[in-house]
Structures are given as structure tokens and as C-alpha cells.
Amino acid sequence: MTTLPSRAGTKGVPRAAREQQVLAAATEAFGRHGYEATTVATIAADVGVTKPLLHHYFGSKQDLYLACLNPVGEKLLDAIRAAMAEHASGAPPTSLRVLHALFTALEGQREAWFVLYDATLPPDSDAARRAAYYRGAIDDLAAIGTADLLHGAGSSDPLDADALKYAWRGLCTALVRWWVNHPDQSPEAMAQRCARLFAAGRTLLATGDESTSAGPTPHLLPAPDATR
């Protein structure tokens, strides 16, 4: 996309500030409604600019999507890498560190997660390929954590690791979706909630239903770090 000279935007708003307004509105629109259902005209109306001005700033709808996607993808990757690299004494398990990092990175723009995980992107488009790149990079990090976990639990089956990686992605998506619907919940509150849920799940799976004659349920999942 050609970079145009900087100049004041409409109604006296500097171009840089207006572009940030457009990106914020577009990220929310793409995240809430998906690429296919989102129109440039709607985004322009939300920001209070004309459709030609938006095209002047960002080019096509796909260019605008990419302008939203790239910073989101980079921010999430940086957050996950930093969380996985932390080894401070007494630090939470990797799974909780990663979730806290995700919530922190998405705070103020929670719908951005669904910009990355958008099933309505045109097949074989630059948008679809770029989103797939970021999803693949995040999956690669998840694969490292799940493989290490399963190795420690004595499993070397690559399909186990692959299944757990997909389960982890689904868990993250479900938690972010719940979080979007509960705007009063901070990243810290969400991380604490996840810790409680993991602990409850571990207890449930460890004890099983003692009322049955079959005895306790076997340990299907390890400690809260299982989903790292």
C-alpha cells in the first residue's frame, strides 16, 4: 500500500490521530462481525469520516484489515513469548502466565482476538495468508508447551500433543469470548479466575465420582500447567 503524505484529517483532526481512530473502530468491527460482514462504509460512518477518505488513508478493505491484523498478531506473539520465557521463582504455571499475558495484551481491544481467528476471510487472499501465519506462529508456541508437558507425563504420542494444542486454542478463544461479554473483568481478575477453574478441574478429575462402584476417575490431566 502506498504511504501518502501526512496532513490534517477532517474536522481539524491530525491524520495520525484519525488513522488510530479508524484502526480502533475497524478492529472492533472485524472482531465483532467478521471480515465478510464488515463494510468500509460502516467503519467510516462509525468514525465520522467519508468512505473516500478511509480508502485514501488505508486503501482497500483488505488493506485496512491487514493494518488491524499485523499489530494484533505481533503484540500477541510478543506477549506469549515473554510469558513462556519467564522462569522467576514462585511464578505462576506457564499456562496461567500465558493467559494473563493474552488478557493484558488484549485489554482495551478484546475483540482483536477474533480479528486473528476469523473464519470469514476470503480463501487464498493476502488477508487469509497473513492471519494463518500468525495463527501458525501461536500454534507453534503452544506446541512447545504441550509437547514438554506430555513428555513430562510420559506421553510421546504426537497426536496427543496435537490434540492438546487444539484444545488449548479452543480454551483461549472461549475464555476471550466470555471476557468480551463481561467488560468489568480485568486481566488480573481473569487470570485469577482461570487459576480457580484449573484448580477445580484438577480436583474434579483427580477425585472422580466416588459414588460409583468403579472408583475414582483416573488422572486425565496433570496440574494447572497442563494447558501451557
Side-chain angles (χ1 to χ4, degrees):
M1 181 178 65
T2 302
T3 302
L4 298 169
S6 178
R7 61 177 179 83
T10 59
K11 299 181 182 179
V13 178
R15 173 166 178 166
R18 183 65 80 192
E19 286 181 348
Q20 290 306 308
Q21 291 174 349
V22 171
L23 288 174
T27 298
E28 181 174 357
F30 286 131
R32 283 187 177 274
H33 308 298
Y35 183 91
E36 184 176 0
T38 299
T39 67
V40 171
T42 299
I43 296 170
D46 289 343
V47 180
V49 300
T50 64
K51 182 178 175 181
L53 182 66
L54 194 150
H55 281 303
H56 177 67
Y57 282 179
F58 292 98
S60 67
K61 174 180 169 179
Q62 180 171 242
D63 291 330
L64 177 58
Y65 169 83
L66 289 170
C68 296
L69 171 69
N70 288 325
V72 168
E74 293 298 329
K75 189 174 185 180
L76 289 173
L77 280 175
D78 288 345
I80 295 170
R81 288 174 180 138
M84 293 181 68
E86 183 182 347
H87 298 292
S89 177
T94 304
S95 57
L96 294 178
R97 295 201 309 270
V98 168
L99 285 171
H100 189 195
L102 288 179
F103 296 138
T104 301
L106 292 169
E107 179 64 337
Q109 208 173 37
R110 301 180 184 187
E111 294 85 359
W113 178 265
F114 302 101
V115 174
L116 180 60
Y117 292 93
D118 187 342
T120 71
L121 295 173
D124 299 322
S125 64
D126 289 343
R129 284 188 287 271
R130 191 63 177 169
Y133 162 77
Y134 284 119
R135 291 196 301 266
I138 291 174
D139 279 352
D140 287 345
L141 292 173
I144 293 171
T146 54
D148 286 348
L149 168 72
L150 291 172
H151 179 75
S155 173
S156 59
D157 187 338
L159 290 181
D160 284 355
D162 190 56
L164 187 54
K165 178 187 71 176
Y166 275 83
W168 172 247
R169 182 201 293 175
L171 175 64
C172 290
T173 298
L175 287 170
V176 173
R177 193 178 300 281
W178 187 91
W179 190 38
V180 167
N181 293 325
H182 294 79
D184 59 316
Q185 297 295 299
S186 68
E188 291 72 22
M190 283 299 296
Q192 292 168 8
R193 187 177 308 281
C194 290
R196 294 194 298 271
L197 293 175
F198 287 180
R202 179 190 178 193
T203 299
L204 177 66
L205 291 171
T207 58
D209 184 359
E210 296 181 356
S211 65
T212 65
S213 59
T217 302
H219 289 261
L220 300 180
L221 289 176
D225 209 23
T227 51
R228 69 178 178 177

